[in-house]
mmCIF file of all heavy atoms in Angstrom:
data_model
loop_
_atom_site.group_PDB
_atom_site.id
_atom_site.type_symbol
_atom_site.label_atom_id
_atom_site.label_comp_id
_atom_site.label_asym_id
_atom_site.label_seq_id
_atom_site.Cartn_x
_atom_site.Cartn_y
_atom_site.Cartn_z
ATOM 1 N N VAL A 5 -1.414 15.588 -4.580
ATOM 2 C CA VAL A 5 -0.493 15.604 -5.705
ATOM 3 C C VAL A 5 -1.220 16.119 -6.936
ATOM 4 O O VAL A 5 -2.421 15.880 -7.111
ATOM 5 C CB VAL A 5 0.098 14.201 -5.969
ATOM 6 C CG1 VAL A 5 -1.002 13.215 -6.355
ATOM 7 C CG2 VAL A 5 1.166 14.255 -7.051
ATOM 8 N N GLN A 6 -0.510 16.847 -7.777
ATOM 9 C CA GLN A 6 -1.094 17.368 -9.003
ATOM 10 C C GLN A 6 -1.125 16.294 -10.079
ATOM 11 O O GLN A 6 -0.225 15.458 -10.175
ATOM 12 C CB GLN A 6 -0.287 18.573 -9.489
ATOM 13 C CG GLN A 6 -0.877 19.270 -10.699
ATOM 14 C CD GLN A 6 -0.116 20.536 -11.050
ATOM 15 O OE1 GLN A 6 0.341 21.264 -10.167
ATOM 16 N NE2 GLN A 6 0.011 20.803 -12.339
ATOM 17 N N ALA A 7 -2.175 16.284 -10.881
ATOM 18 C CA ALA A 7 -2.265 15.341 -11.990
ATOM 19 C C ALA A 7 -1.025 15.449 -12.864
ATOM 20 O O ALA A 7 -0.578 16.546 -13.199
ATOM 21 C CB ALA A 7 -3.519 15.608 -12.808
ATOM 22 N N GLY A 8 -0.458 14.301 -13.209
ATOM 23 C CA GLY A 8 0.746 14.288 -14.015
ATOM 24 C C GLY A 8 2.021 14.296 -13.205
ATOM 25 O O GLY A 8 3.115 14.138 -13.761
ATOM 26 N N GLY A 9 1.899 14.474 -11.899
ATOM 27 C CA GLY A 9 3.056 14.454 -11.015
ATOM 28 C C GLY A 9 3.386 13.037 -10.599
ATOM 29 O O GLY A 9 3.150 12.080 -11.331
ATOM 30 N N SER A 10 3.941 12.897 -9.408
ATOM 31 C CA SER A 10 4.271 11.572 -8.903
ATOM 32 C C SER A 10 4.376 11.591 -7.392
ATOM 33 O O SER A 10 4.590 12.642 -6.781
ATOM 34 C CB SER A 10 5.584 11.060 -9.509
ATOM 35 O OG SER A 10 6.680 11.838 -9.073
ATOM 36 N N LEU A 11 4.229 10.435 -6.792
ATOM 37 C CA LEU A 11 4.430 10.265 -5.364
ATOM 38 C C LEU A 11 4.650 8.785 -5.089
ATOM 39 O O LEU A 11 4.326 7.931 -5.916
ATOM 40 C CB LEU A 11 3.271 10.808 -4.535
ATOM 41 C CG LEU A 11 1.949 10.012 -4.470
ATOM 42 C CD1 LEU A 11 1.104 10.542 -3.315
ATOM 43 C CD2 LEU A 11 1.189 10.126 -5.776
ATOM 44 N N ARG A 12 5.214 8.483 -3.928
ATOM 45 C CA ARG A 12 5.483 7.107 -3.554
ATOM 46 C C ARG A 12 4.894 6.801 -2.189
ATOM 47 O O ARG A 12 5.178 7.498 -1.211
ATOM 48 C CB ARG A 12 6.990 6.818 -3.531
ATOM 49 C CG ARG A 12 7.324 5.342 -3.311
ATOM 50 C CD ARG A 12 8.823 5.070 -3.300
ATOM 51 N NE ARG A 12 9.462 5.575 -2.090
ATOM 52 C CZ ARG A 12 10.699 5.271 -1.714
ATOM 53 N NH1 ARG A 12 11.443 4.470 -2.467
ATOM 54 N NH2 ARG A 12 11.203 5.787 -0.608
ATOM 55 N N LEU A 13 4.079 5.761 -2.137
ATOM 56 C CA LEU A 13 3.516 5.282 -0.886
ATOM 57 C C LEU A 13 4.417 4.194 -0.317
ATOM 58 O O LEU A 13 4.993 3.401 -1.059
ATOM 59 C CB LEU A 13 2.114 4.721 -1.088
ATOM 60 C CG LEU A 13 1.077 5.629 -1.755
ATOM 61 C CD1 LEU A 13 -0.277 4.936 -1.787
ATOM 62 C CD2 LEU A 13 0.986 6.966 -1.039
ATOM 63 N N SER A 14 4.534 4.156 1.001
ATOM 64 C CA SER A 14 5.314 3.132 1.676
ATOM 65 C C SER A 14 4.451 2.437 2.713
ATOM 66 O O SER A 14 3.541 3.037 3.274
ATOM 67 C CB SER A 14 6.541 3.738 2.368
ATOM 68 O OG SER A 14 7.399 4.372 1.447
ATOM 69 N N CYS A 15 4.747 1.177 2.967
ATOM 70 C CA CYS A 15 4.046 0.420 3.994
ATOM 71 C C CYS A 15 5.051 -0.472 4.700
ATOM 72 O O CYS A 15 5.616 -1.378 4.086
ATOM 73 C CB CYS A 15 2.921 -0.422 3.380
ATOM 74 S SG CYS A 15 2.068 -1.482 4.570
ATOM 75 N N ALA A 16 5.263 -0.220 5.978
ATOM 76 C CA ALA A 16 6.224 -0.983 6.764
ATOM 77 C C ALA A 16 5.513 -1.973 7.676
ATOM 78 O O ALA A 16 4.576 -1.607 8.391
ATOM 79 C CB ALA A 16 7.089 -0.043 7.595
ATOM 80 N N ALA A 17 5.951 -3.211 7.638
ATOM 81 C CA ALA A 17 5.405 -4.256 8.496
ATOM 82 C C ALA A 17 6.305 -4.443 9.709
ATOM 83 O O ALA A 17 7.529 -4.428 9.599
ATOM 84 C CB ALA A 17 5.281 -5.568 7.730
ATOM 85 N N SER A 18 5.682 -4.625 10.868
ATOM 86 C CA SER A 18 6.442 -4.854 12.091
ATOM 87 C C SER A 18 5.717 -5.870 12.962
ATOM 88 O O SER A 18 4.571 -6.215 12.709
ATOM 89 C CB SER A 18 6.654 -3.545 12.856
ATOM 90 O OG SER A 18 5.418 -2.987 13.259
ATOM 91 N N GLY A 19 6.398 -6.327 13.987
ATOM 92 C CA GLY A 19 5.828 -7.334 14.861
ATOM 93 C C GLY A 19 6.281 -8.721 14.444
ATOM 94 O O GLY A 19 7.385 -8.891 13.943
ATOM 95 N N ARG A 20 5.410 -9.696 14.640
ATOM 96 C CA ARG A 20 5.751 -11.077 14.339
ATOM 97 C C ARG A 20 5.443 -11.407 12.882
ATOM 98 O O ARG A 20 4.445 -12.074 12.570
ATOM 99 C CB ARG A 20 5.009 -12.026 15.280
ATOM 100 C CG ARG A 20 5.572 -13.437 15.301
ATOM 101 C CD ARG A 20 4.845 -14.317 16.306
ATOM 102 N NE ARG A 20 5.421 -15.648 16.383
ATOM 103 C CZ ARG A 20 5.154 -16.634 15.531
ATOM 104 N NH1 ARG A 20 4.318 -16.433 14.529
ATOM 105 N NH2 ARG A 20 5.734 -17.820 15.676
ATOM 106 N N THR A 21 6.308 -10.941 11.993
ATOM 107 C CA THR A 21 6.141 -11.209 10.569
ATOM 108 C C THR A 21 6.621 -12.616 10.238
ATOM 109 O O THR A 21 7.460 -13.186 10.934
ATOM 110 C CB THR A 21 6.909 -10.197 9.716
ATOM 111 O OG1 THR A 21 8.293 -10.226 10.072
ATOM 112 C CG2 THR A 21 6.380 -8.792 9.940
ATOM 113 N N SER A 22 6.089 -13.184 9.172
ATOM 114 C CA SER A 22 6.504 -14.500 8.730
ATOM 115 C C SER A 22 7.764 -14.388 7.881
ATOM 116 O O SER A 22 8.186 -13.295 7.509
ATOM 117 C CB SER A 22 5.389 -15.181 7.942
ATOM 118 O OG SER A 22 5.093 -14.459 6.765
ATOM 119 N N SER A 23 8.358 -15.525 7.557
ATOM 120 C CA SER A 23 9.586 -15.516 6.777
ATOM 121 C C SER A 23 9.340 -15.227 5.305
ATOM 122 O O SER A 23 10.257 -14.834 4.586
ATOM 123 C CB SER A 23 10.310 -16.858 6.923
ATOM 124 O OG SER A 23 9.490 -17.923 6.466
ATOM 125 N N SER A 24 8.108 -15.432 4.866
ATOM 126 C CA SER A 24 7.754 -15.198 3.471
ATOM 127 C C SER A 24 6.290 -14.785 3.394
ATOM 128 O O SER A 24 5.428 -15.484 3.937
ATOM 129 C CB SER A 24 8.001 -16.457 2.635
ATOM 130 O OG SER A 24 7.650 -16.252 1.281
ATOM 131 N N TYR A 25 6.012 -13.669 2.739
ATOM 132 C CA TYR A 25 4.634 -13.204 2.656
ATOM 133 C C TYR A 25 4.402 -12.313 1.439
ATOM 134 O O TYR A 25 5.280 -11.570 1.020
ATOM 135 C CB TYR A 25 4.229 -12.455 3.931
ATOM 136 C CG TYR A 25 5.137 -11.300 4.297
ATOM 137 C CD1 TYR A 25 4.822 -9.999 3.932
ATOM 138 C CD2 TYR A 25 6.304 -11.510 5.037
ATOM 139 C CE1 TYR A 25 5.650 -8.937 4.280
ATOM 140 C CE2 TYR A 25 7.134 -10.464 5.385
ATOM 141 C CZ TYR A 25 6.800 -9.176 5.004
ATOM 142 O OH TYR A 25 7.621 -8.121 5.350
ATOM 143 N N THR A 26 3.202 -12.412 0.904
ATOM 144 C CA THR A 26 2.768 -11.583 -0.212
ATOM 145 C C THR A 26 2.188 -10.280 0.327
ATOM 146 O O THR A 26 1.530 -10.264 1.363
ATOM 147 C CB THR A 26 1.712 -12.325 -1.050
ATOM 148 O OG1 THR A 26 2.310 -13.479 -1.648
ATOM 149 C CG2 THR A 26 1.151 -11.425 -2.145
ATOM 150 N N MET A 27 2.416 -9.185 -0.386
ATOM 151 C CA MET A 27 1.842 -7.903 0.014
ATOM 152 C C MET A 27 1.120 -7.264 -1.165
ATOM 153 O O MET A 27 1.436 -7.545 -2.324
ATOM 154 C CB MET A 27 2.911 -6.953 0.556
ATOM 155 C CG MET A 27 3.594 -7.476 1.812
ATOM 156 S SD MET A 27 4.588 -6.223 2.676
ATOM 157 C CE MET A 27 3.283 -5.205 3.410
ATOM 158 N N GLY A 28 0.159 -6.420 -0.858
ATOM 159 C CA GLY A 28 -0.614 -5.786 -1.910
ATOM 160 C C GLY A 28 -1.122 -4.415 -1.517
ATOM 161 O O GLY A 28 -1.015 -4.001 -0.359
ATOM 162 N N TRP A 29 -1.654 -3.712 -2.509
ATOM 163 C CA TRP A 29 -2.268 -2.405 -2.309
ATOM 164 C C TRP A 29 -3.694 -2.430 -2.836
ATOM 165 O O TRP A 29 -3.961 -2.982 -3.918
ATOM 166 C CB TRP A 29 -1.493 -1.301 -3.031
ATOM 167 C CG TRP A 29 -0.173 -0.959 -2.418
ATOM 168 C CD1 TRP A 29 1.049 -1.446 -2.759
ATOM 169 C CD2 TRP A 29 0.053 -0.035 -1.347
ATOM 170 N NE1 TRP A 29 2.031 -0.887 -1.973
ATOM 171 C CE2 TRP A 29 1.449 -0.017 -1.102
ATOM 172 C CE3 TRP A 29 -0.782 0.783 -0.584
ATOM 173 C CZ2 TRP A 29 2.022 0.788 -0.105
ATOM 174 C CZ3 TRP A 29 -0.211 1.576 0.406
ATOM 175 C CH2 TRP A 29 1.174 1.574 0.634
ATOM 176 N N PHE A 30 -4.608 -1.837 -2.074
ATOM 177 C CA PHE A 30 -5.996 -1.662 -2.468
ATOM 178 C C PHE A 30 -6.362 -0.195 -2.285
ATOM 179 O O PHE A 30 -5.664 0.552 -1.617
ATOM 180 C CB PHE A 30 -6.922 -2.548 -1.624
ATOM 181 C CG PHE A 30 -6.786 -4.023 -1.902
ATOM 182 C CD1 PHE A 30 -5.712 -4.741 -1.400
ATOM 183 C CD2 PHE A 30 -7.734 -4.685 -2.663
ATOM 184 C CE1 PHE A 30 -5.576 -6.094 -1.653
ATOM 185 C CE2 PHE A 30 -7.612 -6.046 -2.922
ATOM 186 C CZ PHE A 30 -6.534 -6.747 -2.418
ATOM 187 N N ARG A 31 -7.481 0.217 -2.867
ATOM 188 C CA ARG A 31 -7.934 1.595 -2.687
ATOM 189 C C ARG A 31 -9.450 1.647 -2.664
ATOM 190 O O ARG A 31 -10.129 0.782 -3.203
ATOM 191 C CB ARG A 31 -7.382 2.507 -3.789
ATOM 192 C CG ARG A 31 -7.936 2.215 -5.180
ATOM 193 C CD ARG A 31 -7.228 3.063 -6.221
ATOM 194 N NE ARG A 31 -7.777 2.869 -7.552
ATOM 195 C CZ ARG A 31 -7.274 3.401 -8.657
ATOM 196 N NH1 ARG A 31 -6.190 4.177 -8.588
ATOM 197 N NH2 ARG A 31 -7.843 3.170 -9.836
ATOM 198 N N GLN A 32 -9.973 2.689 -2.032
ATOM 199 C CA GLN A 32 -11.406 2.874 -1.947
ATOM 200 C C GLN A 32 -11.737 4.355 -2.053
ATOM 201 O O GLN A 32 -11.296 5.157 -1.234
ATOM 202 C CB GLN A 32 -11.968 2.306 -0.645
ATOM 203 C CG GLN A 32 -13.488 2.321 -0.575
ATOM 204 C CD GLN A 32 -14.027 1.480 0.565
ATOM 205 O OE1 GLN A 32 -13.318 1.202 1.537
ATOM 206 N NE2 GLN A 32 -15.272 1.057 0.455
ATOM 207 N N ALA A 33 -12.503 4.706 -3.072
ATOM 208 C CA ALA A 33 -12.955 6.071 -3.274
ATOM 209 C C ALA A 33 -14.321 6.250 -2.620
ATOM 210 O O ALA A 33 -15.055 5.273 -2.422
ATOM 211 C CB ALA A 33 -13.030 6.389 -4.766
ATOM 212 N N PRO A 34 -14.702 7.485 -2.276
ATOM 213 C CA PRO A 34 -16.011 7.723 -1.651
ATOM 214 C C PRO A 34 -17.152 7.169 -2.493
ATOM 215 O O PRO A 34 -17.228 7.421 -3.694
ATOM 216 C CB PRO A 34 -16.074 9.244 -1.558
ATOM 217 C CG PRO A 34 -14.649 9.676 -1.485
ATOM 218 C CD PRO A 34 -13.921 8.728 -2.399
ATOM 219 N N GLY A 35 -18.024 6.394 -1.864
ATOM 220 C CA GLY A 35 -19.164 5.824 -2.552
ATOM 221 C C GLY A 35 -18.843 4.644 -3.448
ATOM 222 O O GLY A 35 -19.732 4.141 -4.138
ATOM 223 N N LYS A 36 -17.592 4.200 -3.446
ATOM 224 C CA LYS A 36 -17.175 3.085 -4.286
ATOM 225 C C LYS A 36 -16.721 1.904 -3.441
ATOM 226 O O LYS A 36 -16.394 2.052 -2.262
ATOM 227 C CB LYS A 36 -16.035 3.506 -5.220
ATOM 228 C CG LYS A 36 -16.351 4.695 -6.107
ATOM 229 C CD LYS A 36 -17.413 4.362 -7.134
ATOM 230 C CE LYS A 36 -17.644 5.529 -8.077
ATOM 231 N NZ LYS A 36 -18.673 5.217 -9.098
#
């Protein structure tokens, strides 16, 4: 994506999910 643009990430959970759960996003850059 170009700087100043936009995009949307999605994450779908499947399998034996619980009735209530917290979700989050993390990131890791090279060497970090």
Side-chain angles (χ1 to χ4, degrees):
V5 63
Q6 185 174 323
S10 66
L11 75 165
R12 187 180 72 168
L13 305 184
S14 300
C15 176
S18 62
R20 196 177 183 278
T21 57
S22 63
S23 60
S24 179
Y25 55 96
T26 295
M27 298 193 73
W29 288 95
F30 291 77
R31 67 186 183 186
Q32 187 167 22
K36 304 293 184 179

